[in-house]
Amino acid sequence: MSDVAEALEPDVAPHLSHSRKEGPRLIITRSAAPPIGAAAMTSDPALAADLAQRLGVPAGQVRLFFEADEDRQVPFADRWPGDLVPRIRGEALFFNEFVAGAEIDGRWLHVTRATQEGPDPGIMRLILLVGANFTVLLPFAWFFARRLSRPIRQFAVAADRLGRGDDAAALPLEGPAELRTTAQAVNNMQARISAFVRERTAMIGAIAHDLRTPLARIAFRIENADDALRTPIQNDIEQMREMISATLSFVKAEAQPKSHVPVDLGLLLARLAESEASIGRNVALSGRRTATIDGDPVSLQRLFQNLVDNAVAFGGAAEIELRREGGAALIEIADRGPGLPEDKLETVFDPFVRIEPSRNRATGGVGLGLTIARMIAIQHGGRLTLANREGGGLTATVTLEIGTAQ
C-alpha cells in the first residue's frame, strides 16, 4: 500500500518509470476518467479510505480495485475473517493484480503493476548469491568431508584385513570418540580370537606329535605277527602317519611368521612349471605375464604347488595361466580329470574332506591341500574358487590384488 501511495504523490509520480530499481515495478498514467477495475477485481472501502488518508485527499477522490488473495498461508501475515488481502504490521499486501487511482489537480493518476519481463531481479540476485556462496564453500566442504571421513575409511580398510591372519595390524585409534571406542573393541576381539586360534593350533600340533609314539610302539609290537594280520595294520599305521605329518605341516605353516615382500607371480609360476617338468610331470604355463603382489613367497609357492599336485594327481596334467583383470591377478590351474559334483565344489575346502574316500597318498593325500591353499589366498586378501571345466576337468582360480606399484 505504501508503494501505491508513493506512486500517486503528485511530486513523486513524474519521476517514476519502468526502470525503478527498488520496490515493485509500477506503471503510472494520467487520464481524465477514474480507473475501472476488471471483472475479476473487487474493492474494499476500508482499504480505499486507508489510501486516501495516506494521500491526504477525500475518500471520493480515490479508487482502488484488486484481485482478492485467497492464500491464507502468507508467512508472518495478520489475517482476520473477512480480510481480502493479508497484512504485515498493518500494511496491506497486494500479491495479485490491482489498479489504483487518485484525482490530483483535476486529473486522475492511474497506477497498475508492470508486466514482468524475464526473471524477477530479486530472484536472480538471490540465485546468484546462492551460487556464489556454493562455489566458495564447496572446496571447504569437500576438504572437511574428507577429513571427517578419513578415519572411517581407515577403519574399513583395517577391519577388512582382520580376516587375513593373526598378523593383521591393529585398527588405528583415530577419529571421533565413538569410532575410537569401536576400534578398541575390534582390536580386543581380534586379540582374543588370535589367542584362541593359537591355543587350538598348539593343541592340535601337540596331539598330532604325541600320537607318533604310540604308533611307533604298535608298529614294533606287530612285527612278529602273521602277515595276514601285520600287513593291513601296517597300512593303517602308514595312513595315520601321513595324516599326522600333514597336520603338523599345517600347524607349522600357521605358526610360522609371514614375510610381506613384492612377489612376481609370473616368475614364481614359471619356476614352478620348470621344476615340475624337470621331474617328468606334465605341467605347462601358457604365456608369460608379469603381475606383482605384496605377499609371502614361501606361502604363495605352497598355494600353487598344492593346486598343481591336485591337478596332476586327478587329471594327469596341469595347465597354468596367469592374466590380469583390472587391479587383480587371476591364476588358473586346470586339469582334464573327472571334475567334482556341483554340490562338492565348496565342501572339499573343509579340512580332511576328500571325495575319494581312501587316505592313500597316491590318490590325493589326507585332504588338507585345498584347505591350506584357500587359507593362504585369504591371508593375501584374495580368494580361491573351483569350477568344473567344459569338456571335463576342474579349474582352480586364485584371485589376488595386484600391488600399488603395478
Side-chain angles (χ1 to χ4, degrees), residues 311 333-340 345 370 386-389 392-396:
I333 300 178
D335 62 62
R336 285 299 181 184
L340 289 173
L345 291 176
L370 288 177
L386 296 178
N388 284 310
R389 194 179 180 188
L394 195 68
T395 299

Side-chain angles (χ1 to χ4, degrees), residues 44 69 93 100 120 127 150 159 274 285 334 370 373 375:
D44 185 351
D69 189 0
L93 305 177
D120 183 84
I127 293 175
R150 184 171 62 88
E274 293 172 1
L285 173 63
L370 288 177
M375 177 192 68

Side-chain angles (χ1 to χ4, degrees), residues 59-339:
Q61 295 180 219
V62 173
R63 301 288 187 275
L64 177 62
F65 303 96
F66 55 90
E67 293 181 4
D69 189 0
E70 302 297 336
D71 187 4
R72 299 275 169 172
Q73 305 298 324
V74 180
F76 311 110
D78 304 323
R79 199 64 178 264
W80 299 93
D83 286 348
L84 299 178
V85 294
R87 295 173 179 267
I88 292 182
R89 294 189 296 273
E91 183 81 9
L93 305 177
F94 301 101
F95 290 100
N96 300 322
E97 296 300 319
F98 70 90
V99 59
E103 188 181 10
I104 307 294
D105 298 332
R107 292 182 65 81
W108 285 86
L109 285 177
H110 296 190
V111 176
T112 58
R113 188 192 308 275
T115 302
Q116 184 70 39
E117 298 177 358
D120 183 84
I123 299 297
M124 290 302 299
R125 286 196 299 270
L126 179 61
I127 293 175
L128 292 175
L129 180 61
V130 172
N133 289 337
F134 181 78
T135 303
V136 172
L137 293 178
L138 181 61
F140 295 97
W142 178 85
F143 174 76
F144 285 111
R146 294 279 297 179
R147 288 292 300 273
L148 290 174
S149 61
R150 184 171 62 88
I152 299 177
R153 293 195 305 272
Q154 292 178 341
F155 180 88
V157 172
D160 180 66
R161 292 199 302 263
L162 292 181
R164 301 185 185 180
D166 296 340
D167 57 347
L171 299 180
L173 302 181
E174 299 177 355
E178 294 81 1
L179 192 59
R180 293 197 302 270
T181 302
T182 304
Q184 184 61 59
V186 173
N187 288 339
N188 294 339
M189 178 189 68
Q190 172 68 5
R192 289 193 293 269
I193 293 175
S194 298
F196 173 77
V197 171
R198 285 193 298 269
E199 291 174 0
R200 293 293 296 269
T201 303
M203 180 186 67
I204 294 173
I207 293 174
H209 184 272
D210 291 345
L211 283 175
R212 288 180 166 182
T213 301
L215 284 177
R217 287 199 297 264
I218 294 174
F220 177 76
R221 289 171 179 171
I222 65 170
E223 283 296 326
N224 296 326
D226 296 336
D227 291 343
L229 177 63
R230 184 178 67 252
T231 300
I233 294 178
Q234 285 179 336
N235 291 336
D236 290 340
I237 292 174
E238 288 302 317
Q239 291 180 15
M240 294 178 66
R241 283 175 173 169
E242 292 288 349
M243 294 177 64
I244 291 172
S245 296
T247 302
L248 289 175
S249 178
F250 175 78
V251 170
K252 290 178 180 178
E254 278 284 280
Q256 185 178 4
K258 310 296 188 302
S259 62
H260 289 278
V261 297
V263 179
D264 186 342
L265 294 177
L267 181 59
L268 188 149
L269 292 172
R271 290 175 176 173
L272 174 61
E274 293 172 1
S275 175
E276 293 293 301
S278 67
I279 59 175
R281 304 180 80 179
N282 190 0
V283 177
L285 173 63
S286 60
R288 178 71 181 273
R289 290 183 171 83
T290 298
T292 302
I293 71 166
D294 182 32
D296 176 42
V298 176
S299 297
L300 292 171
Q301 172 77 24
R302 187 177 189 189
L303 161 63
F304 299 126
Q305 184 69 63
N306 286 359
L307 297 178
V308 167
D309 289 343
N310 276 358
V312 172
F314 294 101
E319 304 169 19
I320 307 175
E321 180 183 0
L322 168 64
R323 68 176 188 272
R324 298 174 58 166
E325 290 187 2
L330 272 67
I331 303 93
E332 293 184 349
I333 300 178
D335 62 62
R336 285 299 181 184

